[in-house]
Amino acid sequence: RALKKALPNTPLQMLLRGQNILGYRHYSDDVVERFVDKAVENGIEIFRIFDALNDSRNLETSIKSVLKNGSHAQGAISYTVSPVHTLELFVKKARQIEAMGCQSLCIKDMAALLLPVRAFELVSAFKEAVKIPIHVHSHATTGVAAMSLLKAVEAGADGIDTAISPLSFGTSHPATESMVVALQDTPYDTGLSLEALEPIAEHFRTIKPKYNAFLSKFTNVDTRIFSSQIPGGMLSNLEHQLREMGHAEKIDEVLAEVPQVRAEMGNVPLVTPSSQIVGAQAVINVIMGRYKIIPFESKNLFAGKYGATASPVDPEIQKLALKGEEPITCRPADLIPNEWDKLKSELEGKARSDEDILSYALFPKVWLDYYENHIKDKAPAPATT
């Protein structure tokens, strides 16, 4: 609301993980619907909606809710590279997103794997297959993003994601100013000027040091990602986990294990939450032995409870994980009963609003800690609906 008040003419956008909302599990349809309603009410106008497995069934409820609210639904495809992620498969996903009513489509290259030639090929195919605008989102981690964005523009992309220069490159995006200059005096000229962008850059240049504790320490190029497909954030998480476990020296073994686990899990794209699932299983495999321990989240992925994978999971490991349980083939959320009333009852006398209930649903421990430290001694009004 504060941003909307400060920037009344700027549409506010958020990234929405489909049935995962902002969390790490699937939520019931009524919670997804309530979240979208409240996000719109609080000023969000554009929703970029994706699913970690590119299972369009996991996008249905959130897209319908966004459209019902009269907001813009941008369907996103999580880009990845594997033997089964062909151009034909991506075109099929693009057509599904358009058929679901999305007003635009985003190629979401979270791991910085999109090469320039592939970007041109993909955007060209999408422009032929669908009529909605195409946006491209790519990180600078592997050093090719700026080239890929340029080729995407030449292929007809309608929008590209960039970051103002003080916040650019590393695990972020190519610099806005650099792309503006690269496109000047071409048919793709943005119409933006460096003079107009400089005050914005200076503002973030000035305040950036205040946020050093929250900034990624990765500021260079890591080409290991081309073989491991591990996004920069996932890499730092793996390194942190291994240090905490006293096995920092095993990072190269884990990096070698990740692609194998990913293939055994159906060639899932490495994006939240599948990246955490694959990464955790790889760490366990290296330290404890392959699949000696299978966490709950890995079991659920083998059981189909995150959705359908691009290729079949390894049948022997699936049997080991499920221990006689049958995998599901339906939309995972079809098996989740409505949760809203239950969540309300759990917070009776504590929640002051629907926003409190949603915060608790997504981040229960964080919200309860916040309640104890900031709300408890005040008299909360009951939730309104």
Side-chain angles (χ1 to χ4, degrees), residues 30-31 34 339-354 356-358 360-361 367 382-385:
D30 64 336
V31 172
R34 189 72 60 129
E339 299 177 275
W340 185 254
D341 289 342
K342 178 176 179 289
L343 291 164
K344 275 181 65 177
S345 66
E346 288 175 6
L347 293 188
E348 187 173 353
K350 294 181 180 179
R352 305 156 300 172
S353 64
D354 286 358
D356 277 349
I357 298 172
L358 287 165
Y360 169 73
W367 189 89
T384 55
T385 58

Side-chain angles (χ1 to χ4, degrees), residues 313-345:
V313 300
D314 185 287
E316 295 304 314
I317 300 173
Q318 184 184 47
K319 286 180 185 176
L320 183 65
L322 301 191
K323 296 178 180 176
E325 178 185 328
E326 286 296 316
I328 69 168
T329 57
C330 65
R331 184 182 75 111
D334 287 343
L335 303 177
I336 304 175
N338 284 343
E339 299 177 275
W340 185 254
D341 289 342
K342 178 176 179 289
L343 291 164
K344 275 181 65 177
S345 66

